[in-house]
Every structure is written in structure tokens, then in C-alpha cells.
Amino acid sequence: MAAGVELGFAAAPAPGEAWRLRSAHFPSKVGGRPAWLGEAGLPGPAALRCGRCAQPCALLLQLYAPLPGRADAFHRSLFVFACRGAACYGPPGPRGPLHVFRNQLPRSNDTYPEEPPPREPSPDSAAAATAPPRRLRSGAALCRVCGCLGPRVCGRCRCAAYCGPEHQALDWRRGHRRACGQPGATDDSDAVPDHNEFLFPELEILIEPEEPESPADGSVDPDDKEAAVDTSENSDKQEELKATGSASEALESLDEETLEALAKHESEDDKIFQKFKERIAAEPEQIIRYCRGGEGPIWVSSENIPEEKDIPNCSCGAKRIFEFQIMPQLLNHLKVDSLGESIDWGTLVVYTCANNCNEGNQYTEEFIWKQDFSAGSMQLPPCY
Ligand SMILES: [Zn+2]
Ligand SMILES: [Zn+2]
Ligand SMILES: [Zn+2]
Ligand SMILES: [Zn+2]
């Protein structure tokens, strides 16, 4: 990918075009089952369980992000998995309900031809688009629900494969109960249900470079401009304070120092959130910002920004660097809204090995950090 920031947008694949989201076409996509890249060293069921509730995680998205100039990363994909349990998204910070894995392959490999994939569906890929893959080419079985490794088989038919007891139970309820053990039935004749209650909706991710910001108006010194904005913000704040007469009584119990610290913190938070909004204003639909090792993430709040010590080194010993961030706009595509709690974040930031290490083309776990909106940036009334 290029040096500047690249933006990702979610789009439903055109009718009959779902084949583009399968492994042979090296997709970037949201939801559905993983379109695995390499077939060696896939993360097992234990590695894909939520760090909070221990339930299996679903594919949130995958990005095709090869590294030009690295022969061993001619193909390279990143896979983000997320827990479906809203309660697991409470605390901000590292990992928790989220996992990210990196995988790469050289141009010459056992799984894919060296030529770029055809722009038309092959008979194989057209069929694969309608039925989820039951197994890898290597023969390893995939879970009928989540599409991850399925080492567990149904004890009755010895055919249907699952990552664990939860998905076996889910598939049983959703129809395997009726198909299981039918005389003459094969694994392939037992159609897999959608499992949309577990999988996130499947959408293509389209990548476009971010347009450089329009140069500042030549007549105004950018510093002056910022100072002017600051002053007006402050006077707004003072107006607000004056206006809230009833609140002032509640504030009396707080000493001046505390109040000043609160106000300062709030205005820092406002500034960061303001910057966030300005930066995404030109392309408000963006769900991904990608810039490996380049311009860092844009934060939604001054709280819970990781320091260097918060980002652990890769297992190879190298530092991890920023690669991409997932924006809150993705939530609009996930159909997770409910009246009560739902899956939520301000931004999710992915850090990957600076050396892009590679041990036998295995999947390597990388690091993800969740930052939430602060109460202030949500325009909720401040709670004193
Ligand atoms: Zn969970
Ligand atoms: Zn599963
Ligand atoms: Zn069965
Ligand atoms: Zn490494």
C-alpha cells in the first residue's frame, strides 16, 4: 500500500459477486466466515476465544495488505476477530474481546497460482460463494458455524465439524438435528444455515487513498487561526457555566483546583475529539484508516491512549508499529444496535511486528487496542 493514509469503505457486494470475497481472490472484507490466506498454522479454537467471557469470537474483518519489497509477504492478510457479547466491551485497553492475526505467503506457494486471480468467477469460486467452505484444501475440517478450525465432530453422524461445543449446539438447534444421521446423507448434502445470529454481515472493503487536506487559507496564519478557535471555545464554555445556575450549587462543594483540572481535562478531550471529527469530515463513511508505520492513528479522546510500554513486543522480539485502525462507523454496518447494551468502541487500533517476522507461514497473533469515546465527546451531560 502507498505511503499516505488509505481509507477503507464497506460496500455490499453486487448481486452474484460474492465470489470476490473468497480466498482465491485475496479479499478485504467485513464479517462472514474468514477467507483464510495460508493453510498452515491457523489459529485454533482456544486462540479465538474471548479474553473476557471465553466464548468463540466471530470474524470482524480481514484486510489484504501485502508488503511490496518483501518476497515472503507477496500475499499478506490481517484477520480481526471480535466477541459477540456486548458486556465484554466494557473496559478499554488491550485485547479483551478482540484478537488480530497476521498471515503471509510468498508468490510461489502450495495454495495459490503465481498469476493474479481471474476477474471473472471460476466454476470453483462461484460454487464457493454460495456454500461456505467445509474444509481447507489440506483436508482440515472447518467449523460449520464460524469457519474456523473444527477439530470436533458430531458424535452421531461423525461428519459435521465444529470449533467447540457452543457452535455444535447452535448448529444442532438451527437444523443439523433434522439432517444428522439421515440415511444417505453426506456432510455436503446437509446445507449449512446462514448462522447470521453469530456471523457479522458480510461486506466488501474498498480501499481508496485519503485526499490530502486542503491547504490552510493563505490569509490566515494557521497558529493565529487555532488561537482564535481556542478563545471562542473558552468563551463558549464560560457562557455555558454562567447559564447553568442550578449546577453551580452542586459545584460549590468542589474546590477550585479540582474544577480547573476538570475543565482542562475536558478541553483537552474536546480538542482531540474536534480534531478527530475534522479529519474524518471529508469522508465520514470511512471504516478503516491504514498507514503501516506511517502517520499514527487519530484518537477519539485524551483518555486511554496507549504509551509505548503498553504495546508489547512481537514474540520475535521486534517492536510493534501502528498498521491500521477501525473506525466507529463500522458499527453502523454490523446490525448490533439494540435498545440495551451493544458492542461498542471509539476506535480499535492494530499494531503489528515492525520486522513482519514469518515462521513457516504460520498465523501470528498481533496486538489490538480499544479506545472508547469519553463521556464529554458523546455530548452527554458531565457527571459531577
Ligand atoms: Zn466475550
Ligand atoms: Zn465455530
Ligand atoms: Zn451430526
Ligand atoms: Zn515479529
Side-chain angles (χ1 to χ4, degrees), residues 131-268:
R134 312 283 180 115
R135 55 189 70 78
L136 299 171
R137 293 174 203 211
S138 65
L142 298 175
C143 174
R144 281 166 55 94
V145 176
C146 66
C148 300
L149 284 179
R152 182 187 179 99
V153 290
C154 169
R156 202 159 139 212
C157 62
R158 302 239 144 244
C159 216
Y162 303 100
C163 62
E166 296 88 352
H167 284 176
Q168 185 177 3
L170 189 61
D171 195 45
W172 184 258
R173 288 200 304 274
R174 289 291 312 276
H176 183 61
R177 170 176 42 200
R178 289 184 293 278
C180 180
Q182 293 270 327
T186 63
D187 183 29
D188 293 328
S189 67
D190 175 14
V192 177
D194 285 343
H195 286 305
N196 287 341
E197 74 293 339
F198 177 76
L199 300 171
F200 291 110
E202 191 172 46
L203 300 166
E204 189 169 9
I205 299 178
L206 307 171
I207 306 284
E208 283 172 24
E210 183 178 38
E211 295 294 328
E213 285 176 276
S214 51
D217 182 354
S219 62
V220 184
D221 182 314
D223 284 340
D224 287 349
K225 202 173 156 193
E226 202 163 289
V229 169
D230 277 353
T231 332
S232 65
E233 259 177 21
N234 283 342
S235 60
D236 278 356
K237 269 251 150 57
Q238 281 156 12
E239 288 302 316
E240 245 171 66
L241 279 177
K242 269 183 226 157
T244 52
S246 58
S248 66
E249 280 164 44
L251 295 179
E252 256 172 64
S253 58
L254 292 170
D255 63 80
E256 235 169 84
E257 226 169 280
T258 315
L259 281 176
E260 239 164 65
L262 272 174
K264 190 167 169 234
H265 174 79
E266 250 187 40
S267 71
E268 260 169 44

Side-chain angles (χ1 to χ4, degrees), residues 7-30:
L7 305 180
F9 300 89
E17 297 254 299
W19 54 270
R20 286 156 31 109
L21 304 183
R22 302 298 161 247
S23 295
H25 298 270
F26 309 110
S28 293
K29 70 181 187 104
V30 170

Side-chain angles (χ1 to χ4, degrees), residues 307-320:
E307 293 174 36
E308 212 172 290
K309 66 169 169 54
D310 296 321
I311 299 161
N313 286 351
C314 176
S315 54
C316 75
K319 271 198 182 332
R320 284 199 173 96

Side-chain angles (χ1 to χ4, degrees), residues 102 292 314 316 318-320 351-357 366:
R102 171 173 60 84
R292 181 175 183 268
C314 176
C316 75
K319 271 198 182 332
R320 284 199 173 96
Y351 298 86
T352 59
C353 176
N355 283 350
N356 194 51
C357 61
E366 295 285 14

